[in-house]
């Protein structure tokens, strides 16, 4: 095993990536590339736990990989790959589903929220966190940097690892969730009580990393705030919109909260707040968007880079899968080693 601590993160190609994905996860993945050994996975098997159009899934998978590269994920320092390119993930999910009791899954709040929004719920939406546990455990990941919404799933992965180790011997690394101090839960601009999500389609809900400057300004201009005038960080529910805008500005610029409040001391009201936050976001996103279009113009090169990541991931994941199967009592034929 590597001497550096291992980090595993996943992102679903379930729509165009948002500012929430960027500030809560991707920006931190980029900043953490040197200190640890990093694995970043475009989790397309997770995306199909809610119905996806096949052409859209294909396009979103490639676009997600391109956006990660454009945002600064460096294949020389991070193993970037697509989940379905490494078969061990699906197999690990089955094996671990024979370790995790049903009650653990039924408690998951993301499952309950997503299931409530659908008429017919797929079995895999319930078992999604087991696939996620397999993703992490196959790579002996010590850390999983995620937004607040994923904390419960990582805790489940810990429970599954501990139960496996108890039943079959100490084989799996028990991972820790790493939640950002700020930006861990970027809220929708149209409703600051709801998390910003890439699969939500309402215009004005999310800022996407591919949005034009005009689209970004339009979304911020319509961001829900309150009837007051005070531009302050606050936990009060009625200030959630302003708090969200300030948090977006804070994480985008990398400033501390006092410096953020000082920046807005001369603002004439929420109009200035929205315009200035939009300006900061546009400045941060513009180079990502430009690089994204360059990468998408050469799909063969993009696919080549992602395939290299899968080759490396496959080696590690398949060796771990063999160890898991042996511990559980399967005889693994030489051809599969
Ligand atoms: N609003 C958010 N604020 C902060 N972090 C967020 N993340 C997602 N939304 C926010 C973090 O982004 C990473 C990748 O997320 P994911 O693709 O695995 O799925 P998700 O958490 O379900 O994200 P979405 O955008 O809401 O996708 P859909 O709409 O498909 O469900 C994770 O680290 C996540 O915490």
């Amino acid at each position: 095993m590597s001497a550096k601590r291992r980090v595993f993160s996943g992102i679903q190609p379930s729509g165009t990536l948002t500012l929430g994905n960027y500030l809560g996860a991707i920006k931190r993945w980029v900043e953490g590339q040197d200190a640890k050994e990093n694995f970043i996975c475009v989790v397309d098997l997770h995306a199909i736990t809610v119905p996806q159009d096949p052409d859209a899934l294909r396009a979103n998978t490639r676009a997600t990989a391109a956006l990660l590269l454009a945002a600064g994920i460096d294949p020389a320092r991070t193993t970037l790959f697509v989940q379905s390119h490494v078969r061990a993930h699906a197999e690990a999910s089955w094996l671990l589903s024979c370790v995790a009791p049903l009650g653990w899954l039924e408690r998951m709040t993301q499952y309950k929220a997503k299931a409530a929004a659908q008429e017919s719920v797929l079995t895999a939406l319930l078992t999604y966190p087991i696939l996620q546990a397999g993703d992490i455990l196959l790579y002996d990941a010590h850390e999983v940097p995620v937004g607040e919404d994923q904390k419960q799933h990582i805790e489940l992965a810990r429970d599954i690892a501990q139960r496996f180790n108890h039943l079959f011997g100490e084989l799996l690394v028990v991972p820790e969730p790493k939640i950002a101090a700020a930006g861990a839960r970027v809220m929708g601009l149209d409703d600051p009580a709801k998390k910003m999500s890439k699969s939500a389609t309402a215009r004005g809900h999310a800022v996407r990393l591919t949005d034009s400057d005009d689209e970004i300004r339009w979304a911020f201009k319509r961001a829900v705030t309150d009837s007051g005038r005070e531009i302050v960080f606050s936990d009060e529910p009625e200030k959630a919109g302003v708090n969200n805008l300030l948090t977006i500005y804070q994480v985008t610029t990398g400033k501390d909260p006092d410096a953020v409040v000082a920046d807005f001391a001369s603002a004439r009201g929420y109009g200035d707040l929205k315009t200035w936050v939009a300006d900061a976001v546009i400045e941060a996103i513009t180079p990502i968007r430009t690089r994204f279009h360059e990468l998408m113009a050469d799909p063969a090169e993009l696919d080549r880079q992602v395939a290299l990541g899968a080759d490396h991931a496959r080696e590690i994941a398949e060796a771990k899968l063999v160890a898991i199967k042996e511990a559980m009592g399967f005889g693994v034929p030489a051809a599969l080693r």
Side-chain angles (χ1 to χ4, degrees), residues 211-218 278 282 285-286 289:
D211 279 350
S212 67
D213 293 0
D214 284 351
E215 189 65 26
I216 295 171
R217 285 190 208 289
W218 186 92
I282 288 168
I285 282 183
T286 300
R289 199 175 49 197

Side-chain angles (χ1 to χ4, degrees), residues 96 137-138 140 157 160-165 169-175 320 324:
L96 296 175
L137 301 175
L138 280 173
D140 290 322
I160 292 175
Q162 277 161 346
R163 188 174 167 106
F164 182 98
N165 288 344
E170 290 292 321
L171 181 66
L172 302 179
V173 171
V174 180
K320 191 74 190 185
I324 290 172

Side-chain angles (χ1 to χ4, degrees), residues 275-291:
T275 305
W276 297 358
V277 176
D279 287 344
V281 167
I282 288 168
E283 193 181 322
I285 282 183
T286 300
I288 298 175
R289 199 175 49 197
T290 306
R291 181 77 188 118

Side-chain angles (χ1 to χ4, degrees), residues 13 30 62 65 67 70 74 89 128 138 143 176 193 260 286:
V30 171
R62 186 180 267 151
L67 272 172
D74 172 8
H89 289 253
Y128 171 120
L138 280 173
E143 296 176 17
E176 282 172 42
V260 171
T286 300

